[in-house]
Amino acid sequence: MQLSYGFFSSGRMEVLGRVSSISASELLTDTNNERAKQSLPALKINDRLNNAAFAKAKDMFANNYWAHTSPKGVTPWKWFADAGYNYDVAGENLAKNYATAQATFDAWMASPTHRANILNGKYQDVGLAVVDGTLDGRPATLVVAFYGTPASAAVEGAKDTKTTPVVNAPPVGQGIGNPLTYFGTALQSLTPATLGTLALLTIVGAVALAAHHYRNKLPLAWRKSWKLHHGMYTLIGVISLGIIVVFATGGGSI
């Protein structure tokens, strides 16, 4: 029996609400396309794993946690058992607050442990759940992916057969790794409202910095005002650009 899991969070700030358009079918398509590139068999949707993944997501909302193991010590494998899925190999990927399926999948593929689950040649089935709710008093979208292979008759009949679980949980607080991948995934994690805010801040910052750079070419009246307040204008530009950086790199953290 082998077990593995990993989780991802998009730690973006909420601006004017949250919009998520994650499709479980798109996640499945992306998964199998990536497996095909590695000459791996496609995963099949399993209704029992779907039910298990949904139950896990609902439990996280009901008990206000986001982790592989609940505060009460319940592991992911309880949900496999409750759904009646007896497994030989099992794994779990989690994601939180990504706006699209592509952003979720890209984040998983950028993490070695999540990628290992997606490209594990021992898996045959997958169950996916995308559930909206409230976590820590804020709207959240949780994605749960349960991977598995049904227990073989030989394994089920071997009373004395025991294997050590293999747990691949990424350390909390680490980034995706590749800065360009991290930046791209973070941008995909942002809501349309946040992207609009970033566009506005970009314009404000660009105008402020350009005016500061070319202040000697401004009309005389503007130049006097600029010399009097150029420190404030520069500060506005720097703060605006700083906010852009925070927003752009705030998502996709483990």
Side-chain angles (χ1 to χ4, degrees):
M1 181 188 300
Q2 290 185 330
L3 313 175
S4 63
Y5 50 71
F7 65 89
F8 251 100
S9 168
S10 167
R12 69 180 188 278
M13 296 177 66
E14 300 289 341
V15 178
L16 302 179
R18 176 187 51 78
V19 178
S20 176
S21 59
I22 299 176
S23 163
S25 61
E26 186 177 344
L27 285 174
L28 177 64
T29 298
D30 289 341
T31 295
N32 284 333
N33 285 344
E34 200 63 40
R35 287 174 67 88
K37 294 177 184 178
Q38 305 298 323
S39 299
L40 295 171
L43 297 180
K44 298 172 294 185
I45 282 289
N46 182 280
D47 288 339
R48 291 184 178 183
L49 288 185
N50 276 346
N51 292 336
F54 182 78
K56 169 63 183 286
K58 296 297 287 184
D59 186 70
M60 286 191 285
F61 281 124
N63 292 287
N64 197 42
Y65 72 96
W66 183 66
H68 295 294
T69 301
S70 78
K72 298 178 181 179
V74 177
T75 68
W77 325 123
K78 172 206 186 292
W79 309 107
F80 283 69
D82 287 354
Y85 188 91
N86 298 317
Y87 58 85
D88 187 6
V89 182
E92 177 188 54
N93 276 356
L94 299 179
K96 179 177 70 172
N97 285 351
Y98 283 93
T100 65
Q102 190 62 57
T104 303
F105 187 76
D106 287 348
W108 281 345
M109 287 301 293
S111 162
T113 50
H114 299 79
R115 177 187 176 91
N117 265 340
I118 291 171
L119 299 181
N120 190 328
K122 296 180 180 179
Y123 294 147
Q124 296 178 5
D125 302 325
V126 65
L128 297 163
V130 181
V131 184
D132 293 325
T134 301
L135 204 62
D136 292 327
R138 302 179 66 184
T141 297
L142 301 183
V143 180
V144 180
F146 276 163
Y147 308 92
T149 296
S152 64
V155 172
E156 289 180 331
K159 297 181 180 179
D160 297 328
T161 300
K162 294 182 180 180
T163 56
T164 302
V166 178
V167 179
N168 295 319
V172 175
Q174 289 191 359
I176 290 177
N178 186 317
L180 293 178
T181 302
Y182 185 93
F183 185 80
T185 303
L187 287 179
Q188 292 183 73
S189 303
L190 301 177
T191 66
T194 305
L195 289 173
T197 302
L198 287 179
L200 180 60
L201 288 174
T202 301
I203 294 173
V204 171
V207 170
L209 292 178
H212 175 70
H213 183 73
Y214 296 105
R215 59 188 179 277
N216 292 328
K217 297 182 179 181
L218 294 173
L220 182 60
W222 291 14
R223 204 182 312 161
K224 290 181 179 180
S225 175
W226 183 263
K227 288 183 178 180
L228 182 62
H229 302 294
H230 74 274
M232 180 182 67
Y233 296 149
T234 302
L235 180 62
I236 291 174
V238 171
I239 290 177
S240 298
L241 292 177
I243 292 175
I244 291 173
V245 172
V246 170
F247 270 94
T249 60
S253 61
I254 294 179

